[in-house]
Protein backbone atom coordinates (compact mmCIF):
# COMPACT_ATOMS: atom_id res chain seq x y z
CA UNK A 1 0.00 0.00 0.00
CA UNK A 2 2.87 2.36 0.73
CA UNK A 3 4.05 1.96 -2.85
CA UNK A 4 0.71 3.31 -4.07
CA UNK A 5 1.04 6.41 -1.95
CA UNK A 6 4.68 6.92 -2.98
CA UNK A 7 3.71 6.56 -6.63
CA UNK A 8 1.13 9.33 -6.31
CA UNK A 9 3.97 11.79 -5.91
CA UNK A 10 5.18 10.85 -9.39
CA UNK A 11 1.81 10.21 -11.07
CA UNK A 12 1.99 13.38 -13.14
CA UNK A 13 5.50 12.82 -14.48
CA UNK A 14 6.00 12.38 -18.22
CA UNK A 15 7.23 8.80 -17.80
CA UNK A 16 4.96 6.08 -19.07
CA UNK A 17 5.18 3.08 -16.78
CA UNK A 18 2.88 0.10 -16.57
CA UNK A 19 1.73 -0.24 -12.96
CA UNK A 20 1.00 -3.49 -11.17
CA UNK A 21 0.01 -3.86 -7.55
CA UNK A 22 0.02 -7.17 -5.71
CA UNK A 23 -2.51 -7.40 -2.92
CA UNK A 24 -0.83 -9.47 -0.19
CA UNK A 25 -3.74 -9.70 2.24
CA UNK A 26 -7.49 -9.93 2.23
CA UNK A 27 -8.83 -6.75 0.56
CA UNK A 28 -11.56 -6.18 3.15
CA UNK A 29 -8.94 -5.99 5.86
CA UNK A 30 -7.18 -3.12 4.09
CA UNK A 31 -9.95 -1.16 2.47
CA UNK A 32 -13.09 -1.72 4.57
CA UNK A 33 -11.62 -0.39 7.78
CA UNK A 34 -12.99 2.71 9.43
CA UNK A 35 -9.37 3.85 9.75
CA UNK A 36 -8.93 7.10 7.77
CA UNK A 37 -5.71 5.76 6.24
CA UNK A 38 -7.63 2.79 4.80
CA UNK A 39 -10.04 5.15 3.12
CA UNK A 40 -7.20 7.27 1.69
CA UNK A 41 -5.44 4.17 0.38
CA UNK A 42 -8.61 2.87 -1.26
CA UNK A 43 -9.11 6.23 -2.93
CA UNK A 44 -5.45 6.27 -4.05
CA UNK A 45 -5.75 2.76 -5.43
CA UNK A 46 -8.97 3.61 -7.28
CA UNK A 47 -7.32 6.68 -8.76
CA UNK A 48 -4.31 4.72 -9.98
CA UNK A 49 -6.59 2.09 -11.54
CA UNK A 50 -8.80 4.66 -13.28
CA UNK A 51 -6.26 7.30 -14.31
CA UNK A 52 -3.10 5.24 -14.78
CA UNK A 53 -4.54 1.83 -15.72
CA UNK A 54 -2.87 0.06 -12.83
CA UNK A 55 -3.44 -3.70 -12.90
CA UNK A 56 -4.13 -5.52 -9.67
CA UNK A 57 -2.58 -8.90 -8.90
CA UNK A 58 -4.50 -11.30 -6.63
CA UNK A 59 -3.11 -14.34 -4.83
CA UNK A 60 -6.10 -16.60 -5.46
CA UNK A 61 -9.31 -16.72 -7.49
CA UNK A 62 -11.60 -15.59 -4.65
CA UNK A 63 -9.40 -12.52 -4.13
CA UNK A 64 -9.44 -11.83 -7.88
CA UNK A 65 -13.22 -11.84 -7.89
CA UNK A 66 -13.37 -9.57 -4.84
CA UNK A 67 -10.88 -7.08 -6.29
CA UNK A 68 -12.67 -6.98 -9.65
CA UNK A 69 -15.93 -6.26 -7.84
CA UNK A 70 -14.45 -3.79 -5.33
CA UNK A 71 -12.73 -1.66 -7.99
CA UNK A 72 -15.19 -2.27 -10.87
CA UNK A 73 -12.59 -3.86 -13.13
CA UNK A 74 -12.32 -7.17 -14.98
CA UNK A 75 -8.56 -7.36 -15.48
CA UNK A 76 -7.19 -8.46 -12.11
CA UNK A 77 -4.53 -11.11 -12.63
CA UNK A 78 -4.25 -14.16 -10.37
CA UNK A 79 -0.78 -15.36 -9.47
CA UNK A 80 -1.37 -18.18 -7.04
CA UNK A 81 0.57 -17.68 -3.86
CA UNK A 82 1.64 -21.23 -3.19
CA UNK A 83 0.32 -21.03 0.36
CA UNK A 84 -2.47 -23.39 1.28
CA UNK A 85 -4.97 -20.96 2.77
CA UNK A 86 -7.02 -23.84 4.18
CA UNK A 87 -4.32 -24.19 6.87
CA UNK A 88 -5.42 -20.77 8.13
CA UNK A 89 -9.09 -21.69 8.54
CA UNK A 90 -9.19 -22.07 12.29
CA UNK A 91 -12.33 -22.98 14.23
CA UNK A 92 -11.24 -21.21 17.42
CA UNK A 93 -11.93 -17.53 17.79
CA UNK A 94 -9.20 -14.96 18.17
CA UNK A 95 -10.28 -14.46 21.77
CA UNK A 96 -10.14 -18.19 22.56
CA UNK A 97 -6.63 -18.52 21.16
CA UNK A 98 -5.39 -15.42 23.00
CA UNK A 99 -6.86 -16.73 26.24
CA UNK A 100 -5.18 -20.12 25.79
CA UNK A 101 -1.82 -18.35 25.39
CA UNK A 102 -2.41 -15.88 28.27
CA UNK A 103 -2.31 -12.89 25.94
CA UNK A 104 -4.53 -9.94 26.92
CA UNK A 105 -7.67 -9.86 24.82
CA UNK A 106 -7.79 -6.12 24.11
CA UNK A 107 -4.08 -5.33 23.72
CA UNK A 108 -2.26 -4.20 20.59
CA UNK A 109 -0.29 -7.34 19.75
CA UNK A 110 2.97 -7.55 17.82
CA UNK A 111 4.23 -10.98 16.86
CA UNK A 112 7.41 -12.48 15.48
CA UNK A 113 8.00 -16.07 14.43
CA UNK A 114 11.62 -17.03 13.91
CA UNK A 115 14.68 -18.63 15.41
CA UNK A 116 16.53 -16.71 18.08
CA UNK A 117 19.65 -16.10 16.00
CA UNK A 118 21.69 -13.04 15.12
CA UNK A 119 20.15 -12.67 11.65
CA UNK A 120 16.61 -12.34 13.04
CA UNK A 121 17.74 -9.37 15.18
CA UNK A 122 15.51 -9.96 18.20
CA UNK A 123 17.48 -7.33 20.07
CA UNK A 124 16.15 -4.60 17.79
CA UNK A 125 12.65 -6.05 18.07
CA UNK A 126 12.89 -5.82 21.86
CA UNK A 127 14.30 -2.27 21.76
CA UNK A 128 11.53 -1.14 19.40
CA UNK A 129 8.85 -2.81 21.48
CA UNK A 130 10.25 -1.21 24.63
CA UNK A 131 9.90 2.26 23.07
CA UNK A 132 6.39 1.49 21.87
CA UNK A 133 5.42 0.12 25.28
CA UNK A 134 6.62 3.31 27.01
CA UNK A 135 4.06 5.25 24.96
CA UNK A 136 1.28 2.65 25.11
CA UNK A 137 1.22 0.15 27.95
CA UNK A 138 -1.67 -1.69 26.29
CA UNK A 139 0.79 -3.47 23.99
CA UNK A 140 2.05 -7.03 24.04
CA UNK A 141 4.83 -8.81 22.18
CA UNK A 142 4.66 -12.47 21.15
CA UNK A 143 7.89 -14.21 20.13
CA UNK A 144 7.78 -17.76 18.78
CA UNK A 145 10.88 -19.85 18.23
CA UNK A 146 13.99 -21.36 19.72
CA UNK A 147 17.66 -20.80 19.19
CA UNK A 148 21.04 -19.98 20.66
CA UNK A 149 20.21 -16.37 21.59
CA UNK A 150 16.93 -17.09 23.35
CA UNK A 151 18.40 -16.87 26.88
CA UNK A 152 20.09 -13.53 26.18
CA UNK A 153 16.85 -12.13 24.74
CA UNK A 154 14.94 -13.28 27.82
CA UNK A 155 17.56 -11.54 29.98
CA UNK A 156 17.12 -8.35 27.96
CA UNK A 157 13.34 -8.53 28.34
CA UNK A 158 13.74 -8.95 32.11
CA UNK A 159 16.25 -6.09 32.39
CA UNK A 160 13.89 -3.73 30.54
CA UNK A 161 11.01 -4.68 32.85
CA UNK A 162 8.93 -6.12 30.01
CA UNK A 163 8.38 -9.60 31.41
CA UNK A 164 4.61 -9.12 31.88
CA UNK A 165 4.23 -7.67 28.37
CA UNK A 166 6.12 -10.32 26.39
CA UNK A 167 5.12 -13.92 25.74
CA UNK A 168 7.71 -16.33 24.41
CA UNK A 169 6.67 -19.66 22.93
CA UNK A 170 8.99 -22.46 21.82
CA UNK A 171 8.97 -23.65 18.22
CA UNK A 172 5.48 -24.83 17.31
CA UNK A 173 3.61 -26.71 14.63
CA UNK A 174 0.44 -24.57 14.91
CA UNK A 175 1.73 -21.32 13.41
CA UNK A 176 -1.41 -20.76 11.29
CA UNK A 177 -3.41 -20.85 14.55
CA UNK A 178 -1.00 -18.41 16.19
CA UNK A 179 -1.34 -16.05 13.21
CA UNK A 180 -5.08 -15.71 13.92
CA UNK A 181 -4.54 -13.72 17.12
CA UNK A 182 -3.30 -10.45 15.63
Amino acid sequence: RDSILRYLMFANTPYSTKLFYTVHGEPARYWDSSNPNSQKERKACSSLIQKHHMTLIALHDKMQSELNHRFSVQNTITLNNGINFNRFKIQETREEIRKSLNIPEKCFLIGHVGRFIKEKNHSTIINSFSELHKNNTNTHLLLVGSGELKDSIISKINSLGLTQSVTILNSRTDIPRIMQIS
Side-chain angles (χ1 to χ4, degrees):
R1 295 180 326 198
D2 292 339
S3 61
I4 291 174
L5 297 176
R6 277 194 301 272
Y7 180 78
L8 283 177
M9 294 185 292
F10 304 105
N12 294 321
T13 63
Y15 304 106
S16 176
T17 304
K18 181 66 177 160
L19 296 177
F20 293 91
Y21 177 65
T22 304
V23 180
H24 288 279
E26 293 303 319
R29 192 168 184 172
Y30 292 115
W31 292 306
D32 285 351
S33 169
S34 60
N35 181 331
N37 287 335
S38 295
Q39 301 306 315
K40 288 178 188 175
E41 290 173 9
R42 181 182 174 142
K43 190 174 182 178
C45 189
S46 292
S47 177
L48 288 170
I49 290 168
Q50 292 170 6
K51 295 178 182 174
H52 301 283
H53 308 287
M54 180 173 71
T55 301
L56 297 169
I57 300 174
L59 303 181
H60 51 80
D61 293 336
K62 181 181 173 197
M63 183 186 285
Q64 177 191 34
S65 177
E66 183 178 347
L67 289 169
N68 281 343
H69 176 75
R70 180 176 300 277
F71 292 103
S72 300
V73 296
Q74 292 300 316
N75 64 337
T76 301
I77 299 168
T78 299
L79 294 177
N80 290 310
N81 186 312
I83 294 175
N84 180 357
F85 285 101
N86 290 329
R87 291 179 53 212
F88 292 87
K89 292 181 181 174
I90 307 299
Q91 298 303 314
E92 291 173 277
T93 66
R94 173 183 177 263
E95 291 77 19
E96 291 169 335
I97 299 169
R98 280 188 176 207
K99 186 175 183 178
S100 74
L101 298 172
N102 294 317
I103 294 175
E105 184 179 325
K106 302 287 183 187
C107 71
F108 177 75
L109 180 65
I110 298 170
H112 179 270
V113 178
R115 291 178 296 139
F116 286 83
I117 58 174
K118 179 184 173 189
E119 291 80 7
K120 301 296 182 180
N121 205 357
H122 285 80
S123 186
T124 298
I125 294 170
I126 299 304
N127 290 338
S128 298
F129 178 74
S130 179
E131 290 301 312
L132 173 68
H133 194 69
K134 286 176 189 175
N135 294 317
N136 181 357
T137 57
N138 191 31
T139 55
H140 199 86
L141 177 63
L142 172 64
L143 301 174
V144 181
S146 59
E148 60 202 44
L149 299 178
K150 188 172 187 175
D151 289 340
S152 67
I153 294 301
I154 291 171
S155 293
K156 183 172 189 156
I157 291 166
N158 293 337
S159 71
L160 291 171
L162 296 171
T163 307
Q164 298 301 312
S165 300
V166 179
T167 299
I168 299 177
L169 304 175
N170 288 322
S171 296
R172 300 176 66 105
T173 58
D174 64 344
I175 297 303
R177 177 180 177 257
I178 299 297
M179 295 295 195
Q180 300 300 315
I181 65 173
S182 64

